[in-house]
Amino acid sequence: MIQTATLAPDDIGLAAAAATLRAGGLVAFPTETVYGLGGDAGDDMAVARIFDAKGRPRFNPLIVHVAGVAQAEQIAVFTPAARDLARRFWPGPLTLVLPLRAAAGLSHLVTADLPSVALRVPAHPVALALLRAFGGPIAAPSANPSGRISPTTAAHVLEGLGGKIAAVLDGGPCAVGVESTILSLLDAPQILRQGGLAQEQIEAALGAAVLAGHDTSARPVAPGQLASHYAPNAGVRLNATLAEQGEVMIGFGPVQGDLTLSPSGDVVQAAANLFSSLRAADVLASQRGASRIAVAPIPNIGLGRAINDRLSRAAAPRS
Ligand code: AMP
Ligand code: MG
C-alpha cells in the first residue's frame, strides 16, 4: 500500500503530478469523459503498474493521451481522413486507432505489442495542462479497478484505487461521464466502442457510413483476442524449469535462462519485460537455429494472471 495524494489542479499540483509520472508513478486525472489512470506511455514499468493497479486480467492495449495533433503525428501515421477527424473533434471524446510509427518510443505493453496505437486529445483543461507539464504521451485507461464502474469524481477514484496509486488530481466531476468513442482507421473506418462522440457525427464528417462493432462482416474487433496473435516465430513451451535441446530459455526468479523476465521474481517487472523478452528470445532462436522458446513458470497471482494469459496465447497452436 502507498499513500495516495490528492493534488489540486494548480501549478504546484500539476508540477507534482508531472514529476510523479516522470518517476514512473501513476496519477489519476480528470478528462471530459471519465477519470483516467495515467502513466508514462514510454515506460514499460509505469504501464505494467497501470495493469497491476487496475487488476486487469489481460494485457489489452491502452489509450494513449496526447496534447495535440502535432504530438499525435509523431506517434502514428495519419491519413488525410484521420487528420480531418482530428482537426474537427480534438480535443474531444474521440479515440483514433492508427498505424504506429516504429520510432514512436512507446512501451510495447501500452499497445499490447500491436502495430497500431489508440490516440486521443482530451478536452479537459486539467488533462491538457498535465499533458503539457509532462511533455510526453500518457497512457490512461479509466481509473477504476477492472470490472468496476468508471469514476467521474476524484472520490470515486480513491474508493477504487486509493492506496494503489501515487496521486489523483482533483478537477471536480467529469462532464460527459461516458468513455470516448473508439474509431479504427486501420482499414475501412470502424467503431470499436461507442462513446461520447456520436457515430452520426463521425459519418457526417467522413461523408460515409462507418462499420460498427456489431457488424458481423467486420474483422475481429480486438486483434489481441485471437488465440495465437502474439505468437513469436519459434514455438513456445510453458512452465519449463530447464531448457531442452534446441530451446531458448526465458527465466523468472530462481529459474535462470538465456534471458529473464525478472531476476527477483517480481510479476510487475515481468509484465514490463514480457513483449521485449519474447522478441529478444525469438531473435536469439533464429540466430541459434533453435525452434522453441521455453518459459519458466509464472505464479498465477496479480499480474501473473495477465502474463500467463498472454503466454498461453503465444503457445497456442497456430492457425
Ligand atoms: P480503455 O480501456 O478505455 O483504455 O480502452 C482500450 C480499448 O481501445 C481497447 O480494448 C481496444 O478496443 C482499443 N485499443 C486501444 N489501443 C489499441 C490498439 N493499439 N489497436 C487497436 N485497438 C486499440
Ligand atoms: Mg474502463
Side-chain angles (χ1 to χ4, degrees):
M1 289 284 273
I2 53 174
Q3 183 78 25
T4 303
T6 299
L7 303 173
D10 55 16
D11 287 350
I12 294 172
L14 287 163
T20 299
L21 290 175
R22 265 178 226 118
L26 304 185
V27 179
F29 61 94
T31 78
E32 82 280 27
T33 61
V34 302
Y35 271 72
L37 177 54
D40 180 351
D43 179 345
D44 286 323
M45 272 304 279
V47 177
R49 287 188 189 109
I50 292 177
F51 285 94
D52 189 41
K54 284 183 66 80
R56 277 209 176 170
R58 282 189 173 173
F59 295 125
N60 43 354
L62 304 180
I63 294 173
V64 174
H65 294 67
V66 290
V69 181
Q71 195 177 31
E73 295 221 23
Q74 292 176 354
I75 295 172
V77 181
F78 276 67
T79 58
R83 211 164 276 139
D84 186 54
L85 288 171
R87 287 221 183 91
R88 277 175 205 249
F89 298 118
W90 282 357
L94 172 66
T95 295
L96 295 176
V97 176
L98 298 165
L100 174 67
R101 285 190 194 278
L106 290 191
S107 153
H108 285 305
L109 198 54
V110 84
T111 54
D113 221 18
L114 293 168
S116 56
V117 59
L119 290 172
R120 161 169 128 82
V121 180
H124 192 291
V126 176
L128 288 170
L130 179 63
L131 282 159
R132 289 195 199 103
F134 176 58
I138 300 177
S142 54
N144 53 290
S146 186
R148 303 256 294 275
I149 296 168
S150 294
T152 53
T153 65
H156 294 164
V157 173
L158 290 171
E159 258 169 58
L161 297 177
K164 294 186 172 163
I165 63 176
V168 55
L169 269 169
D170 188 352
C174 302
V176 178
V178 295
E179 281 84 354
S180 62
T181 301
I182 303 179
L183 180 71
S184 169
L185 295 175
L186 297 177
D187 291 294
Q190 181 184 5
I191 291 182
L192 303 184
R193 177 178 79 193
Q194 301 282 354
L197 181 69
Q199 180 173 342
E200 289 81 356
Q201 279 184 273
I202 295 171
E203 291 180 327
L206 287 171
V210 299
L211 299 167
H214 58 262
D215 286 352
T216 48
S217 59
R219 295 160 307 287
V221 167
Q225 276 157 18
L226 290 176
S228 66
H229 180 78
Y230 294 93
N233 293 318
V236 176
R237 181 169 70 92
L238 303 181
N239 297 314
T241 46
L242 260 184
E244 292 172 2
Q245 189 75 18
E247 284 183 341
V248 168
M249 179 86 195
I250 299 180
F252 175 84
V255 178
Q256 289 183 9
D258 299 286
L259 54 155
T260 178
L261 290 173
S262 168
S264 63
D266 171 11
V267 285
V268 179
Q269 184 181 37
N273 287 331
L274 180 62
F275 292 117
S276 50
S277 296
L278 282 171
R279 282 163 182 254
D282 219 15
V283 170
L284 207 55
S286 79
Q287 283 169 356
R288 290 188 193 165
S291 61
R292 210 158 61 177
I293 298 168
V295 189
I298 312 296
N300 219 25
I301 46 163
L303 271 192
R305 288 177 208 284
I307 295 171
N308 285 323
D309 168 72
R310 181 58 79 245
L311 285 173
S312 63
R313 283 172 219 233
R318 312 295 163 82
S319 42

